[in-house]
Structures are given as structure tokens and as C-alpha cells.
Amino acid sequence: MKLGLFGFPVGHSRSPRLFARLSRELGRPIAYAAVAAEPGTLAQVVEGARAAGWRGANVTVPLKLEALGLAGRLTSAARAVGAVNVLRFDRVVVGHNTDGEGLRDALARARVSARGRAALVFGAGGAARAAGWALAKDGARTVRFASRTLSRARKTARELAALFPRTRFSAGAPARADVWVQATPLGMKGFADETPAPPSLPGPEAAVDLVYGRLTAFQRDAAARGARVSDGAPMLAFQALRAWEFWDAPLGAHKRAALAETLIEEIRR
Ligand code: NAP
């Protein structure tokens, strides 16, 4: 199957390695190419890929909104998250988002249950919205977004509230919660490695950092406050597997979980 990734830049992406490993594990040929597409050129790049017989593609920064506008059809997850990270080339281009599903899978793997609990999400961008979606799907009682830009956090809270009436969404300063999700780039290469959690905030039971492949200040600090901590590698693995399933066919929970372990190992290598 011909697949790939559109982003700008794409040199740092782990996706080609992940899909090469998946191809070996599944015994299925996957040709996966990373294509650097400058903002504003995605439609053209997609046309080229379709003409070359691609089945679909992952979409990464900064093209997730452009992909949302370009898709002829959107899945409910893509509409809810307001961003597209996977395209499938059917008769029309179908836009989907697997970040939320990937996080739900990762939370289940870490035995973190949000049901009836209070959650705090740091950030208000695409990954934070996907986290809000995942936490609400898992039955969180409250989800609060804490971001530098309050208006962005408010908009995210308001839009998700319209979709999940049983979860109370809010935006503002970080407040006590049972589960933290770190969805800012803090701790990523090229960004400051500091926690967005104020020192006075009591630690949660569980803290998930969406940054992967490194032990960040957020992870160290949450652990010091008594939390069970995980990084973003499981979510990255699961969102890739969910993308594969969107292009091919459902794997089933058992096979998905087993494949996720090999991909997590690949990410951490
Ligand atoms: P994004 O749309 O650019 O949003 C980033 C958010 O972080 C915004 O709310 C932004 O706030 C905030 N932020 C940026 N720099 C900050 C700083 N120095 N201090 C405090 N807040 C800051 O990015 P995204 O797509 O949501 O991605 C966020 C992170 O999640 C990235 O590290 C990405 O790699 C990771 N991620 C991981 C996975 C995975 O599978 N593990 C999947 C998706 C994303 P302002 O509005 O104030 O700038």
C-alpha cells in the first residue's frame, strides 16, 4: 500500500520508521514517503499523491487545518477535534483525526480511567482538543484547559462542551485535578524544558505528557508530586495504528495492543 506523510518540515518525523516496522510486523508491503509540503500547497500535493496511487497520508504540523479545509468529507472525530491528521483517498478525500482515539488507547494501556474524574489539560491547540475529546469520551466529569492564551482555551472548552453535555468544560488558571495531560510543546526539542504546572498545584493521580521520547521536566515534576507518569510514545504508536486501520481494516483490540508495544519500543529506541 502506498502511504505517506505531509508536513513542513518532515525530516524529524518518526512516522516513516514506524510504518516500516509495521510493514515488517504485518508482513504487508507499505511504501511510506515523507513529503515536505509548504503551507498553501497541500491540495496540489494531495492531487499528485492520488495520481501516484497512494491510499492516504498522515498530516502533521502545520497542515492539519489546511487538511481540514481540503477534505471532501470529514469523520465526526475530525469535526470534533477541528483538525485532520489522516487523509484517505476514496472517490473523495476523507479527513479523519486519530489523536483522540490514540490517547484513549494510551490511557487504557496505562490503566488511567477518566470516568467521573476531574482532568486538567495544559495547552489549547490541536493536541489539547484531541485530549479533551478523549477525556470526555472516557466519561470525565470535568475538563479544564489551561493555556497561555485564555481566549483559545475558552474557545476549545466552548466547542467541546457543545458536543459532550455530560462533561463540564472550563478554561483558565490550572486547578486541582485527578488526571493531567500536557499538550503544549514544552519539553520538546527546541522548546524550553519546563513544566506548565504552577508549584502550588497539588499533584494528580496520573499525568500524561504528549511529548515523546524524552524525560521532560513535566514528567519529572509530576512524578515528584506523586503522580503515575507516562510520556507520549504510547499515544503516538496508537494514533499510527488507528490511521493504518482507517486506511486498511480494523485490527481488533488484541492485535492493536500487541503491535503498539513493538511501535513504542521503536519510538523509544
Ligand atoms: P499547537 O496546535 O501549536 O498548540 C500548542 C499549545 O501549546 C497552544 O495552546 C500554545 O499556547 C501552547 N504553547 C506553545 N508554546 C508554549 C509555551 N512555551 N508555554 C506554554 N504553552 C505553550 O500544537 P499541537 O499540535 O497541539 O501539539 C502540542 C504538543 O503535543 C506537541 O509537543 C506535539 O508534539 C504533541 N503531540 C503529540 C502527539 C502524540 O501522539 N504523542 C500527537 C499530537 C501532538 P498559545 O496559544 O498561548 O501559544
Side-chain angles (χ1 to χ4, degrees):
M1 192 184 298
K2 286 190 184 177
L3 298 167
L5 167 75
F6 305 137
F8 195 77
V10 287
H12 65 286
S13 172
R14 282 177 161 79
S15 294
R17 237 174 64 203
L18 290 188
F19 282 95
R21 179 73 184 260
L22 188 61
S23 170
R24 289 198 300 278
E25 295 291 330
L26 291 170
R28 297 271 304 271
I30 299 174
Y32 192 97
V35 176
E38 282 197 46
T41 67
L42 189 60
Q44 237 175 296
V45 173
V46 163
E47 271 325 297
R50 292 184 80 178
W54 288 31
R55 174 70 177 124
N58 287 121
V59 180
T60 188
V61 181
L63 304 174
K64 292 184 185 182
L65 282 182
E66 200 172 327
L68 184 81
L70 174 150
R73 188 158 74 74
L74 292 171
T75 63
S76 60
R79 267 199 304 274
V81 172
V84 159
N85 75 338
V86 189
L87 293 169
R88 187 176 66 209
F89 305 147
D90 293 347
R91 208 189 297 257
V92 291
V93 175
V94 188
H96 183 38
N97 191 301
T98 59
D99 280 340
E101 280 175 309
L103 180 58
R104 289 186 80 194
D105 293 334
L107 290 171
R109 175 183 182 272
R111 296 195 166 73
V112 175
S113 171
R115 182 154 302 281
R117 314 308 300 275
L120 175 63
V121 178
F122 295 100
R129 289 179 72 111
W133 181 91
L135 292 159
K137 279 256 170 192
D138 279 354
R141 183 171 43 84
T142 63
V143 176
R144 185 169 181 82
F145 292 96
S147 172
R148 283 188 311 191
T149 315
L150 182 61
S151 57
R152 213 171 160 196
R154 282 202 174 126
K155 184 167 183 282
T156 298
R158 200 174 48 240
E159 288 176 5
L160 285 170
L163 298 173
F164 297 102
R166 292 213 189 112
T167 299
R168 194 155 44 80
F169 288 92
S170 64
R176 186 183 198 122
D178 306 304
V179 179
W180 289 358
V181 177
Q182 200 300 107
T184 79
L186 287 171
M188 260 176 65
K189 200 169 170 205
F191 291 85
D193 187 15
E194 55 196 40
T195 180
S200 57
L201 190 65
E205 281 171 31
V208 181
D209 194 353
L210 300 196
V211 174
Y212 47 83
R214 32 180 62 205
L215 180 62
T216 62
F218 170 81
Q219 293 164 37
R220 283 194 305 270
D221 172 72
R225 298 186 206 211
R228 282 192 291 130
V229 175
S230 31
D231 78 340
M235 174 177 168
L236 185 69
F238 279 115
Q239 65 78 27
L241 289 168
R242 293 284 185 171
W244 168 256
E245 293 178 70
F246 182 63
W247 296 317
D248 190 57
L251 288 163
H254 204 72
K255 194 159 189 191
R256 183 184 309 122
L259 286 167
E261 294 311 315
T262 63
L263 296 191
I264 291 165
E265 176 203 300
E266 187 70 43
I267 294 163
R268 293 195 171 138
R269 230 154 33 107

